Amino acid sequence: MSDSNQAEHEQISTSLEVEQLDSNLFRSKSLWVPANARGVFGGQVISQALVSATNCVNPNFGLHSLHVRLKDLQPDATIECLL
């Protein structure tokens, strides 16, 4: 893997990191706010929710579907995901 690909992979992996607060409670470690945006990038929040879900279920279960409703949040808001 080239240096630029490695750096990009690390950046993506880091942006998906969540902190486990309890057995089914996670908190984002970082949120990206695009320039001139009203809030955080929803795709990152969705991805972090999916990472959180896979961290608290039996590995024999796979993702069947994902339903999302995004809400306007201030960039400094804390987003907790209770699964």
Side-chain angles (χ1 to χ4, degrees):
M1 185 179 296
S2 72
D3 288 341
S4 64
N5 286 345
Q6 181 67 28
E8 185 176 287
H9 182 268
E10 288 177 16
Q11 184 179 16
I12 291 169
S13 296
T14 302
S15 70
L16 298 180
E17 288 181 353
V18 291
E19 173 187 8
Q20 188 164 4
L21 302 175
D22 202 351
S23 60
N24 294 330
L25 182 62
F26 297 83
R27 179 173 45 211
S28 172
K29 287 189 173 183
S30 68
L31 292 172
W32 177 56
V33 181
N36 300 319
R38 295 181 306 191
V40 300
F41 180 60
Q44 182 183 17
V45 175
I46 294 165
S47 299
Q48 289 174 343
L50 183 56
V51 167
S52 300
T54 59
N55 285 333
C56 67
V57 297
N58 185 317
N60 295 328
F61 292 103
L63 178 66
H64 178 272
S65 63
L66 180 65
H67 304 269
V68 178
R69 185 174 142 219
L70 297 175
K71 175 181 173 179
D72 284 341
L73 293 173
Q74 296 301 314
D76 61 347
T78 297
I79 298 175
E80 292 182 348
C81 184
L82 179 61
L83 305 169

